[in-house]
């Protein structure tokens, strides 16, 4: 059986990178897999969160899933903290994860920065919780953006460590699904930096709730190089800003990067940017508007999340009990 698990942190400002790197692919995959889509609120707490905003952002991400086209009847949508098995399994995994594996995680190094001694244990242990998220459901596939690749390799290592320790083939080794032309959406102001949630420069990042004018303005102001549009894929190698914008266009229109390059070859950037602004404002306008409407409807969103948590628990509970039996934890 093929089962998908994936998630987004409710840290605010759901952005174009989250949409193109993850959500847009989930929408395509939902028909072929049993899918569990989580709002990973416990992961968000690895850095300080305002309590009221965490609640609001949790509803906002749920609204984004539905607005983007995830069917809440067919798929499970829930917030992580409602299913206690995530943290229980994370503890068991933390007892078989060598520190050396966690020390390799580049995202921890980036987030902790120079003040590593002050970084929280949660931030360090974060990839172990992520492995637990996936394996609590024995998920076989995990659709994510490029930046999560290393965390998924760790999840596979942890699954293998558990299977070896207890001498059985219990957990599947989850497969990353990283596909499309926008697996790593970069900042609009610097094509060498990832479009990120914490980037303070507003023009670097397109938020899904930005107005059409704002989206168009950010695209018009996006950094480009002085040459005309590239003529070939090979040219994209050392033109990161052009590569990023073309990748976004290709993803939004479901064309290949090659077709997109051919279409705009040799044209001026301003003509291309107008075309990109047109497609971006249509898609984002539709999703952003629906997201705003849904997130204000607390009764509806909370209902979806409650039902989702019950369905998630129904899958996780029996798996966790098997893990307890394998591990030797007594349930008197
Ligand atoms: P998060 O919340 O940072 O991002 C959510 C999803 O969006 C993708 N993404 C991007 N894709 C392309 N370009 C970008 N600039 C960009 N920024 C973000 C991410 O790759 C991700 O797919 N650790 C995860 C959440 C998580 C999770 C899980 C995911 C927790 N447990 C289990 C999968 C399975 C995270 O912080 O994603």
């Amino acid at each position: 059986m093929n089962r998908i698990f994936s998630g987004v942190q409710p840290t605010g400002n759901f952005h174009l990178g989250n949409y193109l790197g993850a959500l847009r692919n989930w929408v395509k995959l939902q028909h072929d897999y049993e899918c569990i889509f989580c709002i990973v609120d416990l992961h968000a707490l690895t850095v300080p969160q305002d309590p009221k905003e965490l609640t609001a952002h949790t509803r906002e991400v749920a609204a984004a899933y539905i607005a983007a086209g995830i069917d809440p009847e067919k798929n499970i949508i829930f917030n992580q903290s409602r299913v206690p098995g995530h943290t229980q399994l994370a503890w068991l995994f933390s007892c078989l994860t060598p520190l050396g594996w966690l020390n390799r995680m580049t995202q921890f190094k980036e987030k902790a920065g120079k003040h590593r001694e002050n970084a929280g244990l949660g931030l360090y242990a974060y990839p172990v919780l992520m492995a637990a998220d996936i394996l609590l459901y024995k998920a076989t596939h995990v659709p994510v953006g490029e930046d999560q690749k290393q965390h998924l390799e760790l999840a596979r290592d942890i699954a293998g460590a558990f299977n070896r320790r207890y001498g059985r083939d219990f957990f599947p080794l989850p497969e990353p699904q990283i596909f499309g032309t926008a697996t790593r959406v970069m900042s609009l102001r610097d094509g060498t930096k990832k479009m990120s949630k914490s980037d303070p420069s507003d023009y670097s990042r397109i938020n899904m709730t930005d107005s059409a004018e704002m989206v168009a303005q950010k695209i018009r102001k996006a950094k480009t190089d002085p040459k005309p549009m590239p003529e070939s894929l090979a040219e994209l190698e050392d033109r990161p800003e052009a590569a990023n914008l073309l990748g976004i266009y290709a993803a939004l229109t479901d064309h290949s990067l090659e077709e997109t390059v051919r279409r705009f070859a040799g044209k001026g950037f301003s003509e291309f940017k107008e075309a990109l602004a047109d497609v971006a404002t249509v898609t984002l306008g539709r999703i952003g508007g629906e997201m705003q409407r849904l997130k204000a409807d607390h009764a509806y969103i909370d209902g979806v999340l409650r039902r989702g948590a019950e369905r998630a628990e129904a899958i996780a509970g029996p798996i966790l009990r098997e893990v307890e039996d394998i591990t030797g934890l007594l349930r008197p």
Side-chain angles (χ1 to χ4, degrees):
M1 196 235 349
N2 287 325
R3 181 179 285 154
I4 276 178
F5 183 96
S6 200
V8 174
Q9 291 191 56
T11 42
N13 293 322
F14 191 80
H15 60 75
L16 185 66
N18 300 133
Y19 174 64
L20 292 180
L23 212 45
R24 198 173 161 98
N25 289 344
W26 302 358
V27 172
K28 293 178 183 147
L29 293 162
Q30 66 181 323
H31 309 291
D32 301 322
Y33 294 80
E34 178 189 2
C35 297
I36 304 170
F37 296 122
C38 189
I39 297 119
V40 287
D41 48 7
L42 298 175
H43 276 93
L45 283 172
T46 54
V47 295
Q49 301 292 336
D50 175 86
K52 282 204 180 70
E53 286 188 358
L54 179 62
T55 307
H57 292 150
T58 300
R59 291 197 179 103
E60 181 179 78
V61 175
Y65 289 2
I66 300 167
I70 302 291
D71 177 353
E73 298 303 321
K74 180 174 185 302
N75 308 284
I76 297 176
I77 298 177
F78 77 109
N79 55 320
Q80 188 185 25
S81 58
R82 289 301 84 216
V83 178
H86 290 254
T87 44
Q88 293 170 13
L89 189 59
W91 176 258
L92 300 182
F93 283 169
S94 68
C95 297
L96 41 88
T97 305
L99 291 186
W101 291 2
L102 293 179
N103 289 339
R104 286 205 298 265
M105 297 294 116
T106 53
Q107 206 164 77
F108 173 75
K109 289 180 202 161
E110 276 164 28
K111 286 197 178 170
K114 290 198 187 88
H115 310 287
R116 220 188 278 187
E117 292 295 312
N118 294 332
L121 174 60
L123 192 64
Y124 186 66
Y126 172 117
V128 178
L129 179 59
M130 179 161 160
D133 296 339
I134 299 164
L135 296 168
L136 182 61
Y137 303 91
K138 290 192 171 182
T140 53
H141 293 80
V142 187
V144 283
E146 182 73 39
D147 62 323
Q148 297 300 318
K149 199 171 170 189
Q150 197 185 31
H151 290 157
L152 274 168
E153 279 159 15
L154 184 81
R156 291 166 64 90
D157 287 344
I158 291 177
F162 183 95
N163 292 348
R164 272 193 309 280
R165 165 93 47 109
Y166 296 102
R168 65 191 81 195
D169 205 13
F170 185 73
F171 285 118
L173 304 190
E175 286 287 335
Q177 291 174 306
I178 301 172
F179 62 90
T181 58
T183 56
R184 193 174 181 80
V185 179
M186 308 306 275
S187 156
L188 298 182
R189 309 298 300 163
D190 179 349
T192 62
K193 286 205 188 110
K194 200 181 84 154
M195 183 177 279
S196 92
K197 281 179 184 163
S198 54
D199 198 321
S201 146
D202 245 352
Y203 276 83
S204 70
R205 179 188 67 200
I206 293 176
N207 300 314
M208 295 305 285
T209 47
D210 282 347
S211 67
E213 300 85 80
M214 183 55 92
V215 171
Q217 212 178 343
K218 286 179 178 176
I219 291 172
R220 281 188 208 113
K221 282 188 190 255
K223 186 180 166 206
T224 46
D225 56 46
K227 291 187 250 171
M229 294 294 290
E231 309 259 358
S232 69
L233 281 181
E235 252 188 81
L236 295 184
E237 300 262 317
D238 44 2
R239 299 182 64 185
E241 283 85 13
N244 186 39
L245 294 175
L246 282 159
I248 293 172
Y249 184 96
L252 283 170
T253 56
D254 284 320
H255 286 104
S256 71
L257 195 54
E258 199 170 5
E259 280 172 293
T260 309
V261 168
R262 211 178 310 125
R263 172 153 182 203
F264 294 101
K267 296 202 164 127
F269 267 104
S270 54
E271 185 182 339
F272 166 68
K273 281 181 174 178
E274 285 312 312
L276 177 58
D278 282 350
V279 295
T281 49
V282 170
T283 307
L284 270 64
R286 183 175 48 75
I287 298 174
E290 182 65 358
M291 224 175 120
Q292 303 281 26
R293 191 185 69 73
L294 286 169
K295 83 176 186 191
D297 190 346
H298 291 187
Y300 172 69
I301 293 290
D302 292 4
V304 167
L305 292 174
R306 261 196 309 272
R307 267 198 317 284
E310 280 166 20
R311 290 162 71 192
E313 177 63 41
I315 301 173
I319 294 176
L320 192 61
R321 282 190 285 281
E322 264 190 275
V323 171
E324 287 171 344
D325 290 342
I326 292 170
T327 313
L329 294 169
L330 178 67
R331 275 198 316 281

